[in-house]
Amino acid sequence: MFRWLFGTARNCGFLHGCQQEYIYQQKFSLVNIKLKWVKDRTLDAAVAGERDLKAAGILVSLIYSSSECCVPIYHLSRHRGQLGLPHDLKLSTFIRRYPNIFTESFFHDSGGTPVPCFGLSPEALKLHREEVSILEQNRLELRDRLCKLLMLTRDRILPLQTIDQLKWDLGLPYDYQHSFVPNHPERFSFVRLPDDRAGLKLLFWDDELAISELQKNISLQQNEEDIKNGSLAFPVSFTRGFGLKRKCMEWLKEWQKLPYTSPYTNASHLDPRTDVSEKRVVGVFHELLHLTLHKQTERKNVSNLRTPLALPQKFTKAFERHPGIFYISRKSDTQTVVLREAFNGRELMQKHPLVKIREEFASLLKKGLLDRSRGVYKKRIDANCVEGARKEVRITQNTSQLNSDDELDSMFSEYDSDDDPLHNPS
């Protein structure tokens, strides 16, 4: 059976000091096992709404950090790429879905065009202030999360662009580059990368942090023989009705017995064409998902991590090959990778304080969407916000940030829509 499954592979180098009983295992080639994707409605429910929650959370942070009580739509539009919203959805349309989160006002520019401005409702302000307080209380724990992310990389460096894609998942403040990183100069330093991008470098390696989640729980889910041999197994569960074939079950059983390589150790000795190497790849993403608050992230967020994490080509195929460890949800027109073991049904088994705040925020979003459909909310104009926005536009124009009529027109095209507040006051 196993000769048929594994075959033989080319010889490869071995880590100096590797236990002799594991040497033969690097000779097994990467087995061509394909497991089908089966929809998991329970985990899909855990993912549903995350896109809108993330987008709304980022917008709330942007508005809260503004010096004015409301922000013109074109300022918010500059950050659209970070929101993850569908390309055909106007930002103003999205914001107006949640009138219990965002308050709307407008003023007329010099050409008479109405300029929408958005502020925060008292309910949203209250929740966001609670979130800011939790961030402060957990700043050292969040620092360690960022440290561990950098410790997973080969050179202890990541481009800021890559961290930006993961900052919501990690629980970092929206403006972490200015409000968070400078507070820990002993740990982090901004650097210029060879491709001229800005990056973040880890300055201090902490051995106490270099222990994976699987190793932490070693006594809870591993037998003594596996612990002694270093062949730690990942917790596995499948969607109800998965129907794993016998040959796949045999392969998975043997794969779990392969040596576990900590994601925090150098794995250059592993042949990327082997199942041993694949187990290391699974271990890296197992640890990465444990670093996230919701134990999930969009697949595209990790697609550019191959070089920093020293991963082989087509490394994300590990998600499909191990559906008992990861679930790929296709909700919201994207692929979200979920760590199965972290959930009991659709609920996280361990919730970070920030997750609890986000759940309250999600409830507020749901209520606002429902109340809006009932016509509960009406358009409100705040004269102070309007005057503040007018002032901001005048300052912007005076400093030549808006340097052409074409640029001004492109900014205001955002609100030339059917749901313009002038036409639809609800």
Side-chain angles (χ1 to χ4, degrees), residues 171-225:
L172 297 174
Y174 175 79
D175 59 344
Y176 74 97
Q177 298 179 30
H178 309 290
S179 66
F180 186 78
V181 172
N183 293 331
H184 305 285
E186 77 289 352
R187 295 294 179 106
F188 311 112
S189 174
F190 293 109
V191 296
R192 183 64 58 181
L193 303 178
D195 58 6
D196 208 36
R197 288 186 297 171
L200 188 67
K201 180 178 182 179
L202 181 69
L203 301 178
F204 175 76
W205 179 275
D206 190 341
D207 286 332
E208 293 185 1
L209 295 180
I211 303 173
S212 70
E213 197 68 22
L214 191 63
Q215 291 170 318
K216 287 180 183 177
N217 298 325
I218 193 171
S219 61
L220 300 178
Q221 56 195 28
Q222 312 289 341
N223 60 55
E224 292 185 8
E225 183 179 354

Side-chain angles (χ1 to χ4, degrees), residues 85-101:
L85 296 175
H87 296 297
D88 58 349
L89 176 63
K90 286 183 175 290
L91 181 56
S92 56
T93 301
F94 172 78
I95 294 174
R96 290 176 185 133
R97 286 178 180 174
Y98 305 108
N100 64 334
I101 301 292

